[in-house]
Structures are given as structure tokens and as C-alpha cells.
Amino acid sequence: VAYGELGKVYNSLRNFHKAKTLQQKALEISVKTGDKYGQTIDYRNLADAHISLEEFREAKKCYQKALAISKKEGCRKGEAFVYSDLGCFYRDQNDLQRAEEYCKKACKIYKEIGDKLDEESENSELGELYCNLGKYDDARKCYERALAIQKEIGNRRGEGKAYCNLGTLYQYLSDYGKAKECHQQALAISKETNDLRGQGVDYGNLGTVFQHLGDFDKAYEHHKKALEMAIRTDHKAGLPAAYNNL
């Protein structure tokens, strides 16, 4: 465990070769002690290190080994974790069809085992994939399922994020009335939960929607508030967008 956690630290510090060496040591120990659960974790961590080094073939092999162990041991949650990893892996390789395949497998298992948090997360990921694939009705279903789960478990910030995703989807579909409703819901929740950075995003989204609706005074007002929030929260990614929108 110590080698694996230290490997993650080195990966975050962009010392990828050191990270890989440490993850390999962690795996060696798990294999030697017969720790099957540890092996699945170590293979997944080692895959991350390979990806950082752009050793994609080796990363895929690690994921496949982790998946094989999870299936053999009957660990359904571990199996779902690897499917989710593979979905992200293929998404980053721009193989969206294969990414969709693995995300759907992960989502199915999470639902079957009653893992609400991971089911919500996977639905959100799958919704974004469907948007990129132009499958907007499927995306809507995933985002609505994610929203329903967030409401069920009482996660208000998560609920706001789900409304934000739905609003963005309706923008893709040029349904600006529904987009406005969703973004307004998201903004109300961001205010309620004192999520200042979320407020900045929501104000920006609403500003764009009001532009499309031809209400330029409200568009300016909302983009100005988005900029104020980006400055206040030192939101590096939000600042350029806020300035550009104004």
C-alpha cells in the first residue's frame, strides 16, 4: 500500500518513471503475498503510470489483468471500477464507441449492486460521451438519471451539477427555454450551498443562453457576474471565458 500511495504522489509530481517503479514494487508485493484485491488496485495504478508515460499498450494490459482478477474473484465492484477505467482510457484515445461500451458495462454493474454514488458518476460520464457522439436523447436520459440519484441521496451540490449538465445539453439542442430553466435551477442551488465557483459557471451559462434568446442586457449582467465570481475565486479556467463572453 505504501509503495502504491507513494507512486501516486510521484505521478502527481510528474515524476512518471519513479511512479511506475513504485507501482511495480507494490504489485510485486501483492503478487508475492497472494493479495488479489491489492493486485487489482496495483494493476490499475500501474496502468495510470503507463498512461502518463504514453505507454498505452502496457496500460491496456494492466487494465485487462485487473479485470481478469476481479472477474475470477467475483468482485463485481472491482470489475465495474476497471470498466470505468477502460471507458476513460478509450475516451482519452478518442475511441468514443469503445468508451461508451465500457462505461455502459460499469453503469450496469453499479446499478445492480446498488452503488448509487458510482452509478451517478458513471451516468454523468456516459451522458458527456453521448453528447460527443451526437446521441442527445441518450445523453438526456443519463443526465436525468444522475439528477434523480443526486436528489435521492440528498446531495444538493451534485444536484446543481446535474442541472448544469442538462442545461448544457439543451443548449446543444438549441432549446434555450429549457436550458434557461436548468441553469437557473443550478444557480439557485449554487447560491444555497455557497458554491461561489459554481455560481460563476452558472452565471456564465445563463449569460450565453440570454444571448441566444436575444436578451442582451441580461446576458451582459450575467456575464459580468460570472467574471466577478471568477476573480473572487481565482478561477484560472473561468477567467478567460468570462472576459471573452463580455
Side-chain angles (χ1 to χ4, degrees), residues 92-150:
D92 293 342
Q93 297 294 306
N94 205 33
D95 188 344
L96 301 186
Q97 281 79 15
R98 195 166 290 182
E100 175 193 351
E101 173 191 340
Y102 284 111
C103 283
K104 284 170 71 175
K105 286 182 178 181
C107 202
K108 183 174 183 289
I109 293 174
Y110 289 137
K111 185 175 183 178
E112 288 173 352
I113 65 177
D115 183 344
K116 298 289 187 183
L117 285 175
D118 285 311
E119 184 193 349
E120 184 283 326
S121 178
E122 206 64 41
N123 268 293
S124 295
E125 177 69 28
L126 194 51
E128 186 176 345
L129 272 174
Y130 281 135
C131 282
N132 290 329
L133 287 165
K135 298 180 178 181
Y136 297 117
D137 193 52
D138 288 327
R140 178 185 56 78
K141 290 175 183 177
C142 286
Y143 285 146
E144 286 179 346
R145 175 58 183 160
L147 175 61
I149 292 171
Q150 296 289 18

Side-chain angles (χ1 to χ4, degrees), residues 10 95 97 99 125 136 145 157 175 197 206 209 217 227:
Y10 276 104
D95 188 344
Q97 281 79 15
E125 177 69 28
Y136 297 117
R145 175 58 183 160
R157 282 202 177 189
D175 189 340
R197 185 164 290 189
L206 279 166
V209 168
D217 288 337
L227 177 59

Side-chain angles (χ1 to χ4, degrees), residues 3-224:
Y3 280 122
E5 292 303 314
L6 193 55
K8 289 181 183 179
V9 171
Y10 276 104
N11 202 52
S12 68
L13 294 171
R14 304 187 66 80
N15 190 338
F16 303 131
H17 289 285
K18 182 69 173 178
K20 183 173 82 168
T21 299
L22 289 165
Q23 297 298 356
Q24 287 170 331
K25 286 183 178 179
L27 178 60
E28 287 171 11
I29 293 170
S30 293
V31 171
K32 187 176 180 179
T33 59
D35 181 359
K36 297 296 186 183
Y37 178 73
Q39 287 174 44
T40 61
I41 294 174
D42 296 332
Y43 272 121
R44 291 173 63 211
N45 289 338
L46 184 55
D48 290 341
H50 281 305
I51 289 171
S52 296
L53 290 165
E54 298 186 359
E55 297 169 351
F56 302 118
R57 185 175 296 179
E58 295 304 313
K60 188 163 69 170
K61 287 179 183 176
C62 287
Y63 285 137
Q64 288 169 341
K65 286 179 179 177
L67 181 61
I69 293 170
S70 293
K71 285 184 173 181
K72 186 176 180 180
E73 296 299 309
C75 180
R76 300 222 68 206
K77 188 161 186 172
E79 187 181 343
F81 281 157
V82 182
Y83 282 137
S84 184
D85 289 340
L86 281 164
C88 292
F89 173 79
Y90 283 112
R91 177 203 63 201
D92 293 342
Q93 297 294 306
N94 205 33
D95 188 344
L96 301 186
Q97 281 79 15
R98 195 166 290 182
E100 175 193 351
E101 173 191 340
Y102 284 111
C103 283
K104 284 170 71 175
K105 286 182 178 181
C107 202
K108 183 174 183 289
I109 293 174
Y110 289 137
K111 185 175 183 178
E112 288 173 352
I113 65 177
D115 183 344
K116 298 289 187 183
L117 285 175
D118 285 311
E119 184 193 349
E120 184 283 326
S121 178
E122 206 64 41
N123 268 293
S124 295
E125 177 69 28
L126 194 51
E128 186 176 345
L129 272 174
Y130 281 135
C131 282
N132 290 329
L133 287 165
K135 298 180 178 181
Y136 297 117
D137 193 52
D138 288 327
R140 178 185 56 78
K141 290 175 183 177
C142 286
Y143 285 146
E144 286 179 346
R145 175 58 183 160
L147 175 61
I149 292 171
Q150 296 289 18
K151 286 182 176 181
E152 184 181 340
I153 64 178
N155 183 356
R156 290 292 281 162
R157 282 202 177 189
E159 190 180 334
K161 176 62 177 173
Y163 275 120
C164 181
N165 286 337
L166 274 168
T168 301
L169 169 63
Y170 285 122
Q171 284 178 245
Y172 289 150
L173 297 171
S174 299
D175 189 340
Y176 298 112
K178 285 186 178 179
K180 183 178 75 169
E181 289 176 15
C182 289
H183 288 312
Q184 285 175 332
Q185 290 270 27
L187 178 59
I189 293 171
S190 292
K191 287 180 176 179
E192 176 193 320
T193 58
N194 199 33
D195 180 1
L196 298 181
R197 185 164 290 189
Q199 288 178 47
V201 172
D202 299 329
Y203 276 124
N205 287 332
L206 279 166
T208 301
V209 168
F210 281 121
Q211 279 180 257
H212 285 289
L213 290 171
D215 193 336
F216 300 112
D217 288 337
K218 281 190 177 179
Y220 177 78
E221 175 189 334
H222 282 77
H223 283 314
K224 186 178 179 182

